[in-house]
Amino acid sequence: MKLTYILPFVALSTAFIIPDEQVISQIAIESHKSAEGVFKELPSKDQIVHNIENSFEWVEDAVDKAAKCSRNAFDTAIDRAAQTGSDLSKSLQRTGFDAVSWLDSHTDLNTRGHHDQPNQTVYQLITSSKYTTKLAAAINEYPDLVVLLNGTLANYTVFAPVDSAFEKIPDDAPKPSKELLEKVLMYHVSPEYYPAGKVLVTHTVPTALTVDTVGIGPQRLSTNIGLKGLTVNFYSRIIAIDIFGTNGVIHGVDSLLVPPPNVAEIISLLPAEFSTLELGLTKTGLFAPLNDTSNHYGGTVFAPSNFAFQKLPTKITAFLFSSYGTKYLKALLKYHIVANQTLYSDAYYAAESVDEQDIPKGIFHIDLPTQLEDKSLAVDVARYGRLIEIKVNAFARVDIQDGIAADGVIQVVSDVLIPPKRIDRMVQHWQGEDLTVEDLKERLEPFLENVEL
């Protein structure tokens, strides 16, 4: 299968997930590598083509090669994974998440469960497998979760960490509270049905974990295709797929999935990408309210990377970060922040709505009101299966999609977003043309009277 034409999209469609610091302090998982910037060391064209071709072959393969037997389906799938000699790499640090852990391995996932008619629930499959004894013991501590995974109210999807995933927890790590562990377990379960083919064409997956800070919708997982094959939240590699039960499907993963912190914390944890943005937010007094999850229900931050700021003319950058330019910088950064509306690449939450909305295939347009008074961002999402491109104001691309956070999502944009100006009663968006300090001041001055430093 020739997929060379999608390479530009694949290289830009990776997401980043940072585990919550509170969770990490209780569930500390070791890593062999320190965090680096998410833009560094992108895979080569041949590597991407190889992995994507293999990924689609999993879905296209209608004939299951696993031998039919009476053993637990999970055991069969994991045994086959072991035969491939795949290495369960450790991808999470004690203090944070390796944002480029998807570069660590080029091992492809090629293991799926058998397709016999299932006769066990997903709970029964987990508790009867020799590879998920620790997960089963954890689930059994929560009767409501046992009932959920044994029930037939929905076709569930479980991203089940195998026992070796728990072995990544250091011996001296404190035991998590029961409430916290329940949240972690719920983060591994989706109330919707996601067999491997659907996971492959999906960017985010809703979970059974609900949090007030993200608005009306559930906390989501991110799925990624990289050199490690198909992963969840970047670091947890799917090592077995399509283990079907009577009430859902299980995919085996090699690392625990940890709920993320909020947007502001993620920005702080990735200085290689967001040090300029963090400096601007702090200098203008916007960082503290962004970090306060009580003043918004979900949200979307279109975050310019350090590289995006470097693309601005030097004189403009110097002006914005001068003492005189601070009020202009505040207005500019408010134009990047959307409160109470969370736009993922394939789902949309609005605080005033009662239901989440899927982003339809094809072209989806939405105007998102920013914190800059009366100014919205025109966002276009072009979605064709897993290939998704997002543009803001018909110009700036979202280079890295779906930085999932506890209180919304980060979409990393290729350029600093410049508010439009009116010419002869027409709104003119900035399209990357030459920009002077005076032109920028003209665009931002109408909003300065509402900006207090």
Side-chain angles (χ1 to χ4, degrees):
M1 179 182 296
K2 299 300 181 182
L3 298 172
T4 306
Y5 67 98
I6 68 172
L7 291 179
F9 297 94
V10 175
L12 300 180
S13 66
T14 53
F16 51 93
I17 307 296
I18 308 292
D20 181 58
E21 182 178 359
Q22 176 190 6
V23 178
I24 288 297
S25 66
Q26 299 193 46
I27 305 178
I29 303 177
E30 295 178 330
S31 176
H32 63 281
K33 184 178 179 183
S34 62
E36 299 177 8
V38 289
F39 291 122
K40 295 180 180 178
E41 303 178 34
L42 287 176
S44 69
K45 168 182 172 180
D46 291 340
Q47 289 171 320
I48 295 174
V49 171
H50 171 73
N51 282 277
I52 294 176
E53 287 178 342
N54 286 349
S55 298
F56 276 92
E57 286 173 3
W58 310 331
V59 180
E60 293 175 344
D61 181 14
V63 181
D64 185 9
K65 298 179 181 179
K68 295 182 179 180
C69 60
S70 59
R71 291 192 302 160
N72 179 288
F74 210 156
D75 289 354
T76 300
I78 299 299
D79 283 343
R80 291 190 61 217
Q83 291 171 10
T84 68
S86 56
D87 178 23
L88 301 181
S89 65
K90 299 178 180 179
S91 307
L92 204 60
Q93 302 180 17
R94 287 178 180 273
T95 57
F97 170 62
D98 177 5
V100 288
S101 61
W102 55 280
L103 293 172
D104 292 347
S105 169
H106 57 78
T107 304
D108 294 316
L109 179 150
N110 58 6
T111 306
R112 61 174 62 203
H114 63 68
H115 292 268
D116 291 342
Q117 185 68 29
N119 58 9
Q120 292 180 299
T121 64
V122 291
Y123 170 77
Q124 291 170 333
L125 286 169
I126 291 170
T127 55
S128 62
S129 171
K130 64 183 180 182
Y131 293 105
T132 50
T133 60
K134 295 180 181 180
L135 175 62
I139 291 174
N140 285 333
E141 293 291 320
Y142 304 92
D144 290 345
L145 185 54
V146 172
V147 172
L148 179 76
L149 297 180
N150 251 332
T152 57
L153 293 179
N155 273 324
Y156 301 100
T157 302
V158 181
F159 295 94
V162 294
D163 286 347
S164 57
F166 289 84
E167 293 171 3
K168 298 178 182 181
I169 303 175
D171 294 336
D172 59 349
K175 183 178 180 180
S177 67
K178 192 163 185 177
E179 179 183 6
L180 179 59
L181 182 56
E182 183 177 20
K183 290 181 179 179
V184 172
L185 292 174
M186 296 296 282
Y187 193 52
H188 290 75
V189 179
S190 174
E192 299 184 18
Y193 187 58
Y194 280 83
K198 187 176 179 180
V199 172
L200 194 62
V201 297
T202 299
H203 278 207
T204 67
V205 175
T207 72
L209 176 62
T210 57
V211 289
D212 294 337
T213 52
V214 84
I216 55 95
Q219 185 64 72
R220 299 182 82 88
L221 296 166
S222 171
T223 68
N224 319 99
I225 298 176
L227 299 184
K228 297 174 74 172
L230 186 61
T231 59
V232 183
N233 285 5
F234 257 142
Y235 56 86
S236 188
R237 190 165 62 90
I238 297 181
I239 57 175
I241 61 175
D242 286 350
I243 301 139
F244 294 103
T246 56
N247 63 340
V249 62
I250 300 171
H251 307 300
V253 296
D254 72 352
S255 297
L256 288 169
L257 303 172
V258 184
N262 61 35
V263 166
E265 290 178 84
I266 293 175
I267 290 172
S268 294
L269 287 168
L270 291 173
E273 304 308 330
F274 300 128
S275 60
T276 308
L277 175 60
E278 183 182 12
L279 175 62
L281 291 170
T282 303
K283 186 178 178 68
T284 58
L286 291 174
F287 190 86
L290 182 64
N291 197 33
D292 183 1
T293 57
S294 66
N295 61 21
H296 60 275
Y297 295 96
T300 307
V301 175
F302 291 91
S305 64
N306 291 340
F307 179 69
F309 277 101
Q310 290 170 9
K311 291 166 71 174
L312 288 175
T314 304
K315 289 184 178 180
I316 287 182
T317 305
F319 166 73
L320 288 172
F321 285 88
S322 68
S323 57
Y324 178 74
T326 302
K327 56 187 177 181
Y328 292 91
L329 177 61
K330 184 170 185 176
L332 179 65
L333 293 180
K334 290 179 76 171
Y335 188 58
H336 293 73
I337 301 172
V338 177
N340 304 322
Q341 298 193 46
T342 308
L343 180 69
Y344 304 96
S345 61
D346 53 7
Y348 168 63
Y349 298 168
E352 67 274 10
S353 176
V354 295
D355 296 309
E356 64 181 277
Q357 177 182 346
D358 289 333
I359 303 296
K361 295 179 181 178
I363 305 297
F364 175 81
H365 176 86
I366 187 169
D367 293 316
L368 296 177
T370 71
Q371 290 190 346
L372 195 63
E373 186 177 358
D374 296 328
K375 290 298 179 183
S376 296
L377 296 173
V379 182
D380 293 291
V381 182
R383 183 184 180 197
Y384 302 95
R386 188 170 183 86
L387 307 181
I388 300 178
E389 183 181 34
I390 304 176
K391 274 192 174 182
V392 184
N393 292 345
F395 168 66
R397 297 178 185 272
V398 173
D399 279 347
I400 298 185
Q401 300 170 10
D402 302 326
I404 292 175
D407 60 339
V409 66
I410 298 175
Q411 305 289 3
V412 183
V413 287
S414 60
D415 294 89
V416 175
L417 306 176
I418 307 297
K421 64 180 179 180
R422 287 190 174 274
I423 298 179
D424 297 330
R425 298 183 180 181
M426 298 290 292
V427 174
Q428 184 183 72
H429 286 287
W430 184 66
Q431 299 291 307
E433 63 271 13
D434 291 341
L435 188 69
T436 66
V437 172
E438 293 305 315
D439 185 27
L440 180 65
K441 290 171 65 176
E442 180 186 348
R443 292 169 182 264
L444 294 174
E445 276 174 355
F447 310 102
L448 298 188
E449 60 184 5
N450 297 319
V451 175
E452 298 179 0
L453 296 177

